[in-house]
Amino acid sequence: MTLTKDDLAGLIDSTALRQKLTDLTRANDGDGSDLKTRSAVLGELKEAMKAGRAIAEKRLNEDGGGLKCAQRLSFLQDELIRVIYDFAFYHIYRIKNPSTAERMAVVAVGGYGRGTLAPGSDVDLLFVLPYKQTPWGEQVVEYILYMLWDLGLKVGHATRNIDECIRLSKSDMTIRTAILEARFIWGDEPLFDDLVSRFDEEVVKGTSSDFIEAKLEERDERHRRQGTSRYLVEPNIKEGKGGLRDLNTLFWIAKYHYRVRKQSDLVKKGVLSRGEYRRFVKSEDFLWAVRCHLHFMTGRAEERLSFDVQREIAIRLGYTQHPGMKDVERFMKHYFLVAKDVGDLTRILCAALENQHVKEPEGKGITGLMRRLRTGRPSDAPRPVEGTNSFVIENNRLNAVSDKVFVDDPTNLIRIFQLADKHGYYLHPELTKLIRRSLKLVDGTLRNDPEANRLFLSVLTSRNSPEKVLRKMNETGVLGRFVPDFGKVVAMMQFNMYHHYTVDEHLIRSIGILAQIERGDSGEDHPLATDLIRTLQSRKLLYVAMFLHDIAKGRPEDHSIAGARIARKLCPRFGLNGAETDTVAWLIEHHLDMSTIAQSRDLSDPKTINDFAKLVQSMERLKLLLILTVADIRAVGPGVFNGWKGQLLRTLYYQCEPLLSGGHSKISHREVVEQAKRELFAQLDHWPEKARKTYGDRHYAAYWLRCAPERRLHHAELIRKADEAGQPLAFDVRPHSFEGVTEITVLAPDHPRLLQTIAGACFTTGGNIVDAQIDTTTDGFALDTIFISRELPGDEDERRRGERITGLIAKSLTGEEQLPKAVATKNPVKGRMKAFNVEADALVNNSWSDDYTVLEISGLDRPGLLYDLTRAIATLNLNIGSAHISTFGERVVDVFYVTDLTGQKIANVGRQEIIRERLIAAVNGDVETNPAAPISRRAS
């Protein structure tokens, strides 16, 4: 894209600027070397740069042209450098008769060499000399650089003669790439022309294989650093996969190999079609628009599209909200589609390179491509593929026998992926191009073709590499065309901190996780799922449900309900019968339920288990739902699934299993309590019998029903030890490395504010509470167990961390330490969290438990939130039976099982409203410490 005079008009008047600077030297007979003149010169340059940048930003907002903006900024920078050079030449280091050595070319290199510049970009300069450095050249270079630095610019620079440029380019690929992009700015142009011609002849000629290999390796290493998926929801627009650097790499390779100067020349060379070239330009223009807006908005060279800037960029680019999709989500979907286009262009270029240098045997990726570029045509001819006449094997990759294979039989558009999966073949780049150009053949007839659907189901439920093949189907566009509902979520992001990937990438990754579980490759992470998947009656149902579970995201209605409706439409098409379709639809409708109940309900409360069992209804559904839940959480992103979540899911499964397998009527609660006591007493055979009986009477029935056997033993020893020492306070710290938590048990005289004190101590010491279990004894003590996220790798280090927390709890309870009164003001929402607006809400529910009122509080997460909530609950004179803390990115859901001080549920509607309003206020940082304070009545 070449800018017209109108595009550049008004940015800078370099002639007038030169005159202004010259006028500043008149008093000194044209000498501008004194400090006063230099300061005045710098002031004029700053004013010109500021005004030019303001115009560039204004025009970016008006015309939206990203490339135009980058080129305007580059032009502005060129003019400033030319003015500074001329001022140094004519007014600072004046020479009347320069020698042949006193010449210099100022050259833009790197991204600046392409004639594009972002507001915060480095200005990369090469000062080219004819021979070795002279005092005059050194002084001019120094003057230019210091002036640019004083303008606040980041300048990358080198000063070399032509021989040095050529020698270093041969040994250093970074320098070679920089000079490949060299562009003359000012000075001695014949010197620059000499550099370009010698570089082309002595460095580039005959070395394209080495250069391509280095650039592709460099690209892959960059992707490893930034994240290998182009669908990360906070992408790096410059260095990330599908970003500007990938487009640059494409053009570097093309420019080097095909010896072209402009992108449009690639069409003349037959590398890109006109349509593909337009995609190249559109992708580059969009990415530059986003990057320039990002730099202008943040005032720095920010390259990551983090959550806190995405919405503002979306507004600047003119995106609006649609039903089911926010403006920011529509913008990011466009971004990911552009990133996908960049990936397509990379494959097209690699195919063209390979076709020119013919196809070689085994090998893929960089190694295979480079071997093919170097060795020439192999001797072995294409081999037929077993079971089809439409495809052949070329160099261990599938290719079409003709351009008509898809026109003659559109089912081949699905069959090709089934063959790739079955035999482990890669697709030839030419075949990939042919698939993309045949997508219009994926129509209603093909979608309803039984054979095509059979082949697709074979890929989806493959025991080989379904994730890899589905991703290839998605990249070529076939998957979104064959399953249009999937096409609607391609490149769709969800504007929250919980999901790390776009919806389509999450669905494909979840299939990969399922396959991993089935192969037994991740048994240590979730052993129960690994065991259960081998006992399923139909693994097909699990894979279909997994593929469809989030397919209705981005719609105005609940995606679980809408997804179940889509499943009822698609499953018969895929060949599932009525019963199978019902099961898949049920799994999708309830795919969030097991996770929600496990993380936010009291699993020791019989009603929780009974209600869940009534929902699930069968052991087969329970197995399917557990495996689906594990894979779904794992596929959200790295680190989201942890041992603690796995433990909660296993507990819910094991508690529910007897009810669904007919074991619920075999033993009464009374018998369970007695059996639990007998088991503990057997382990306490070193205690006197009277001490054992007395201890058994110290706990209520609820304790024996819900407390795990190993925990009962620890509690018994802790309480006996405290009794013998005559201590009212006792603590126990136990790290659990597999679950990723540390268990802290607190024995103390019962008090409504005990959990508040514990939460405050954890907040003060940086401990993150993930769950809490509160028990009281018949003799007035509280036995509270909290679980905090593990932070240190070693058990001993983690134990010491836990002991620091218990030390602060002890001092707080004895009055030696005062916990902070307000934490919201001390810890305001910062950074990425500021981008989100999560409305605070509180539910007061009496139907989830027979014995407790359940409070469910949700809102924006922040440090000290749990402490504020427990303070508010204590002020409301409520006893906490258990607490369950869950975070989903920026959103927190805290659930408390409470009673009033007499042990009864909260039945009064007026009091429920007071509780609700006080808790919402606490989420927002306003903790009312006066129990009698009035509430503000809302208009109904």
Side-chain angles (χ1 to χ4, degrees), residues 262-331:
K262 296 183 298 183
Q263 296 163 353
S264 56
D265 292 340
L266 294 174
V267 179
K268 297 172 189 172
K269 293 275 185 179
V271 179
L272 298 177
S273 68
R274 291 205 170 276
E276 288 158 353
Y277 169 67
R278 282 194 295 272
R279 281 168 69 196
F280 190 113
V281 173
K282 281 182 71 176
S283 298
E284 189 176 28
D285 189 57
F286 175 81
L287 292 172
W288 268 113
V290 175
R291 190 179 183 209
C292 288
H293 276 300
L294 190 55
H295 284 204
F296 277 129
M297 197 180 93
T298 60
R300 63 180 185 274
E302 180 59 65
E303 308 296 356
R304 186 170 292 283
L305 267 174
S306 54
F307 290 125
D308 52 329
V309 298
Q310 287 177 6
R311 176 168 275 123
E312 178 62 29
I313 298 283
I315 293 168
R316 281 174 169 241
L317 290 171
Y319 290 89
T320 55
Q321 185 161 325
H322 281 195
M325 282 189 80
K326 301 170 184 170
D327 47 7
V328 64
E329 291 171 342
R330 293 186 62 235
F331 156 56

Side-chain angles (χ1 to χ4, degrees), residues 667-682:
I667 185 167
S668 69
H669 277 181
R670 188 188 188 110
E671 289 173 314
V672 171
V673 170
E674 292 305 317
Q675 184 177 322
K677 288 182 180 180
R678 284 194 298 271
E679 288 174 359
L680 177 64
F681 293 166

Side-chain angles (χ1 to χ4, degrees), residues 410-482:
T411 309
N412 280 331
L413 279 162
I414 310 300
R415 180 175 289 109
I416 188 64
F417 294 101
Q418 191 266 342
L419 292 170
D421 172 71
K422 182 178 178 182
H423 299 291
Y425 293 133
Y426 294 90
L427 301 189
H428 194 285
E430 281 300 314
L431 178 59
T432 302
K433 280 175 69 175
L434 184 60
I435 291 170
R436 288 197 63 83
R437 291 169 182 175
S438 306
L439 288 177
K440 62 181 181 296
L441 298 172
V442 184
D443 55 14
T445 304
L446 182 63
R447 290 182 200 114
N448 291 305
D449 183 84
E451 177 64 5
N453 282 284
R454 184 192 68 78
L455 292 167
F456 173 70
L457 199 61
S458 171
V459 170
L460 177 61
T461 61
S462 166
R463 295 181 187 271
N464 300 320
S465 302
E467 178 184 6
K468 183 177 74 177
V469 179
L470 286 170
R471 185 169 286 111
K472 192 67 180 176
M473 286 186 81
N474 193 31
E475 287 173 350
T476 54
V478 171
L479 189 53
R481 295 275 298 190
F482 189 66

Side-chain angles (χ1 to χ4, degrees), residues 714-768:
H714 297 323
H715 290 169
E717 298 290 8
L718 177 71
I719 292 172
R720 182 171 173 79
K721 188 177 175 182
D723 287 347
E724 289 175 346
Q727 294 174 339
L729 289 179
F731 304 95
D732 185 50
V733 178
R734 293 180 182 274
H736 299 284
S737 56
F738 176 71
E739 290 85 355
V741 295
T742 293
E743 176 184 348
I744 298 176
T745 305
V746 180
L747 176 70
D750 192 18
H751 190 279
R753 294 183 183 271
L754 180 59
L755 184 60
Q756 170 194 333
T757 303
I758 295 170
C762 287
F763 160 68
T764 304
T765 53
N768 177 39

Side-chain angles (χ1 to χ4, degrees), residues 3 6 52 73-74 82 86 111 137 160 194 259 457 511 514 548 554 586 603 606 712 753 777 785 907:
L3 296 187
D6 288 342
L73 291 169
S74 177
R82 288 168 186 147
D86 286 349
R160 301 188 182 105
D194 190 17
R259 316 288 275 277
L457 199 61
I511 294 293
L514 261 192
L548 298 177
W586 182 89
L603 301 184
R712 289 186 212 127
R753 294 183 183 271
T777 64
T785 304

Side-chain angles (χ1 to χ4, degrees), residues 575-591:
L576 275 64
N577 61 35
E580 290 172 332
T581 297
D582 287 343
T583 299
V584 170
W586 182 89
L587 284 169
I588 292 168
E589 185 173 345
H590 298 284
H591 75 271

Side-chain angles (χ1 to χ4, degrees), residues 16-34:
L17 182 58
R18 281 187 179 87
Q19 188 59 53
K20 278 185 182 179
L21 301 190
T22 299
D23 291 345
L24 292 172
T25 68
R26 291 203 188 285
N28 298 323
D29 195 25
D31 183 1
S33 59
D34 66 283

